[in-house]
Amino acid sequence: MFGRNTIKRGRGNKIYIYVNYLKKTRIIINGTGNTIQFGKNNHLVGCVIIINGNNNTVKLGDNNSVINCEFWIEDDGGSIMLGNSNKILGRTHLAETEGKRIILGDNCLFSTNVIFRTGDSHSILDAKTGERINPAKSIIIGDRVWFGNNTTVLKGAIIANDSIVATGAIVTKHFSDSKLILAGNPEEVVKKGIKWVAERI
């Protein structure tokens, strides 16, 4: 660890972040039984990890590059998990609530102004019964998914491998087919059978 970092872990929490580079990164935990665990060779610059709750997990694999990302967990028993070799290039917000999960596979690419939210933060009730009708849901992302500028992924979304979320898209549904381009609000499949590479060729 290098640079000006802030770590406030409270009591009964575990942080395993050795063999990684952190700069201008804050870790703040309010609660107990929480775990932050990094693999090796991760680079975090200007990031924030905030946990408000108990028995939550933030886990990164190996070789992730993460810039200006906020990992935010509220409530108990939730998790944010990144695989290996992901590139989060700026202004990304990963918000998990109500014990759900945000799972990213390997080799995903994030542009800037990308938002993930497993819940709505506030309750919506049925006017007749008083029953809450907007529970949180997990978000699951496969390998090699590219998120363009100003994209939003909301509760219950599932995106399979080798897909692209186009600039400005809002994704809320389950897409089990791989190699798709998703665009628009609401999202729709605009192209199938694609392959993307980071280099211009």
Side-chain angles (χ1 to χ4, degrees):
M1 275 198 325
F2 301 89
R4 297 188 297 273
N5 301 300
T6 301
I7 298 178
K8 297 181 180 179
R9 74 175 73 204
R11 295 182 180 180
N13 300 298
K14 298 177 181 180
I15 301 177
Y16 306 98
I17 56 176
Y18 304 106
V19 198
N20 293 279
Y21 176 86
L22 280 71
K23 181 178 180 181
K24 297 181 180 178
T25 290
R26 294 184 295 142
I27 298 174
I28 301 170
I29 303 176
N30 298 302
T32 61
N34 299 288
T35 302
I36 297 174
Q37 182 175 359
F38 292 1
K40 59 186 178 181
N41 299 324
N42 294 290
H43 285 65
L44 278 74
V45 177
C47 295
V48 179
I49 301 174
I50 296 177
I51 299 176
N52 293 310
N54 307 305
N55 304 313
N56 297 290
T57 302
V58 175
K59 186 174 182 180
L60 276 67
D62 302 331
N63 304 309
N64 293 288
S65 296
V66 185
I67 300 172
N68 293 337
C69 182
E70 185 175 62
F71 300 78
W72 186 285
I73 293 181
E74 292 184 0
D75 307 315
D76 301 335
S79 61
I80 298 176
M81 308 182 79
L82 276 65
N84 304 310
S85 302
N86 294 290
K87 291 181 172 59
I88 297 178
L89 302 178
R91 293 191 299 278
T92 294
H93 180 68
L94 305 174
E96 183 283 320
T97 60
E98 299 182 49
K100 301 306 178 184
R101 300 178 297 163
I102 296 175
I103 300 177
L104 284 168
D106 301 334
N107 294 294
C108 293
L109 178 62
F110 285 55
S111 189
T112 58
N113 297 321
V114 179
I115 297 173
F116 277 50
R117 296 182 64 87
T118 65
D120 301 325
S121 295
H122 308 288
S123 297
I124 300 173
L125 308 178
D126 183 284
K128 291 183 179 179
T129 66
E131 180 182 359
R132 185 176 171 210
I133 58 175
N134 66 327
K137 297 178 183 178
S138 296
I139 295 171
I140 301 175
I141 307 300
D143 300 333
R144 298 174 306 279
V145 178
W146 172 13
F147 298 90
N149 283 337
N150 300 308
T151 53
T152 301
V153 181
L154 297 178
K155 60 182 182 179
I158 297 177
I159 303 174
N161 298 346
D162 296 298
S163 294
I164 297 171
V165 180
T167 296
I170 298 179
V171 181
T172 63
K173 299 187 184 85
H174 179 172
F175 293 92
S176 56
D177 292 338
S178 60
K179 301 180 181 179
L180 304 177
I181 298 179
L182 306 175
N185 177 16
E187 81 285 63
E188 59 179 290
V189 177
V190 296
K191 187 75 173 177
K192 298 181 179 180
I194 61 96
K195 177 182 178 180
W196 68 269
V197 294
E199 301 79 18
R200 283 193 293 268
I201 57 176

